[in-house]
Amino acid sequence: MEKTITYGGAGMLIGKVIDSFLFHCQYEKNLNLKTIKAYRTDLIQFAAYMESSLQKRDVNVLQKEDIKNYLQEISPLKPKTVKRKIASLKAMFNFMEYENDYFMNPFRRIRVRFKEPYTLPTVMNMNEIKRMIRIVYQEKEGMVNMERYAFRAAVRNVAVVELLFATGVRVSELCNLRPEDVDLRNGKIKVLGKGSKERVIQICQAEALSALREYYRLFSPAIKNRFFFFINRLGSPLSPQSVRLMVRGYSQKAGISKPVTPHTFRHTFATLLLEEDVDIKYIQHLLGHSSISTTQIYTHVNSVKQKKILATKHPRRKMCFGGEE
């Protein structure tokens, strides 16, 4: 990967600029590979737009109108995707501005105020999460031949679902767990979250710990050989996509009409803890959020809890009129 940007008569060719920026992200800033992959995807798309629609390859000649036209080009995409693509482009231009005093950052001459629509996360209520967990256990208990791989897979699935609900970890964090990160004796896991930040989460539910121990007993030889805690039929690390498909299948069997993903367990974990009056700062730490504002999306109140609060806590119930005082 090229690190040095060519200046002078040759200008600043978009391909070399992208290479230099990604080199900086990977080897100087030590960013997560997933973040670098997203940067690469977004910036290659912008480079293609430059060459096909603007007939330009030199970043030095970009004007604010070019950026505005590009923003219009990507505007039909999902708001979250547009926001990410804008952030990727800004990050590269800021890097170029830092590296070259003569570069005129086109974003300095336009105001981009993009507000992502606020949407409440999908969560399961207590009845739905019970049905979901019951289905997972029923599948395992319905296996008559414990020597078949199907039984072992069912045991693993129980462990995965229990851990998702017990800890609220992201699916990527779960799939990246290594044997040394899972302390089954003391009941805790060490998670590597976003920004390579580590956090330790206690597993305080006996059922979850029991499920993890049963899984480890069955899979321990393969786990030690592959260096990942959760593995698939081939002995390779269990992929996030496999977990998504598994969770979707169980939710359908449980008759849950709303879309359920591994992240739904994370939302449900946080929401139900809040409903039990757990301080949001503790939930922020458990989820691995660097900012409390990220955690505050879970402070919405569902209709059942809302009805209970207004029926029992509203001051109007203490007011009496018509001679009743």
Side-chain angles (χ1 to χ4, degrees):
M1 190 179 291
E2 184 72 34
K3 182 182 179 182
T4 305
I5 300 176
T6 303
Y7 303 109
M12 300 169 68
L13 299 181
I14 182 63
K16 290 192 174 184
V17 169
I18 292 173
D19 285 347
S20 297
F21 173 66
L22 295 178
F23 182 97
H24 166 74
C25 291
Q26 183 171 356
Y27 297 106
E28 295 174 7
K29 293 190 70 176
N30 295 317
L31 295 184
N32 185 283
L33 291 179
K34 189 175 180 180
T35 302
I36 294 172
K37 182 180 179 181
Y39 276 152
R40 179 181 289 109
T41 300
D42 295 340
L43 297 175
I44 287 176
Q45 179 184 354
F46 177 71
Y49 174 80
M50 275 184 64
E51 296 194 28
S52 63
S53 299
L54 304 177
Q55 283 78 52
K56 296 179 180 179
R57 298 183 63 203
D58 187 346
V59 183
N60 256 331
V61 300
L62 285 174
Q63 302 294 318
K64 65 179 182 181
E65 289 76 16
D66 297 328
I67 302 300
K68 287 182 177 180
N69 290 335
Y70 177 67
L71 297 181
Q72 187 175 4
E73 176 83 8
I74 63 176
S75 61
L77 300 174
K78 291 181 180 179
K80 191 171 185 178
T81 303
V82 175
K83 185 178 180 181
R84 191 197 74 196
K85 291 183 182 299
I86 292 173
S88 298
L89 208 53
K90 277 187 173 181
M92 184 181 72
F93 284 151
N94 288 339
F95 162 74
M96 292 164 59
E97 193 174 31
Y98 179 80
E99 291 285 309
N100 179 15
D101 293 336
Y102 299 101
F103 172 67
M104 295 295 293
N105 187 342
F107 270 103
R108 296 289 182 190
R109 288 167 276 172
I110 60 175
R111 291 184 179 180
V112 180
R113 290 188 177 181
F114 183 84
K115 189 174 182 181
E116 190 177 346
Y118 179 81
T119 55
L120 294 177
T122 300
V123 300
M124 288 182 280
N125 57 39
M126 283 296 292
N127 182 49
E128 289 169 334
I129 193 69
K130 284 179 183 177
R131 280 155 49 196
M132 183 83 165
I133 293 176
R134 186 182 299 117
I135 285 292
V136 179
Y137 276 96
Q138 284 177 351
E139 181 182 84
K140 188 192 85 166
E141 292 162 3
M143 298 286 177
V144 293
N145 188 347
M146 296 185 181
E147 299 301 319
R148 295 183 60 191
Y149 180 79
F151 172 75
R152 299 173 66 206
V155 170
R156 182 201 59 206
N157 294 347
V158 169
V160 167
V161 169
E162 284 281 15
L163 191 62
L164 285 172
F165 185 48
T167 62
V169 293
R170 301 176 179 92
V171 65
S172 59
E173 294 170 341
L174 180 142
C175 292
N176 287 329
L177 283 173
R178 296 185 178 265
E180 60 269 23
D181 298 329
V182 183
D183 185 347
L184 294 177
R185 176 176 295 180
N186 298 304
K188 58 185 179 181
I189 59 173
K190 182 173 68 176
V191 177
L192 186 65
K194 289 186 176 180
S196 298
K197 293 179 181 178
E198 288 186 353
R199 67 186 189 279
V200 174
I201 308 176
Q202 306 288 334
I203 303 172
C204 300
Q205 286 67 47
E207 297 84 357
L209 199 53
S210 175
L212 287 167
R213 286 170 176 163
E214 182 180 11
Y215 162 76
Y216 186 74
R217 284 195 300 270
L218 288 177
F219 284 82
S220 57
I223 291 172
K224 292 173 183 176
N225 289 334
R226 292 293 183 171
F227 307 108
F228 281 91
F229 188 77
F230 285 110
I231 56 178
N232 62 20
R233 187 188 193 105
L234 302 175
S236 300
L238 188 65
S239 70
Q241 182 61 14
S242 295
V243 179
R244 291 187 190 100
L245 292 173
M246 179 261 287
V247 166
R248 185 193 306 168
Y250 284 130
S251 69
Q252 291 172 348
K253 290 178 182 178
I256 301 173
S257 57
K258 64 185 68 170
V260 177
T261 69
H263 219 67
T264 308
F265 279 88
R266 182 172 169 84
H267 297 323
T268 304
F269 168 83
T271 301
L272 294 180
L273 285 179
L274 273 173
E275 290 185 3
E276 292 295 325
D277 299 320
V278 176
D279 192 302
I280 193 170
K281 291 182 180 178
Y282 292 118
I283 297 174
Q284 176 192 359
H285 173 74
L286 290 169
L287 295 177
H289 289 160
S290 57
S291 171
I292 191 72
S293 61
T294 308
T295 317
Q296 284 172 339
I297 192 174
Y298 298 109
T299 56
H300 70 282
V301 183
N302 70 34
S303 58
V304 175
K305 183 72 171 181
Q306 184 185 85
K307 185 175 181 180
K308 182 179 179 181
I309 290 173
L310 294 177
T312 60
K313 303 294 185 182
H314 198 284
R316 182 64 178 84
R317 51 190 287 274
K318 297 181 180 179
M319 300 177 187
C320 299
F321 299 100
E324 295 180 10
E325 292 185 285

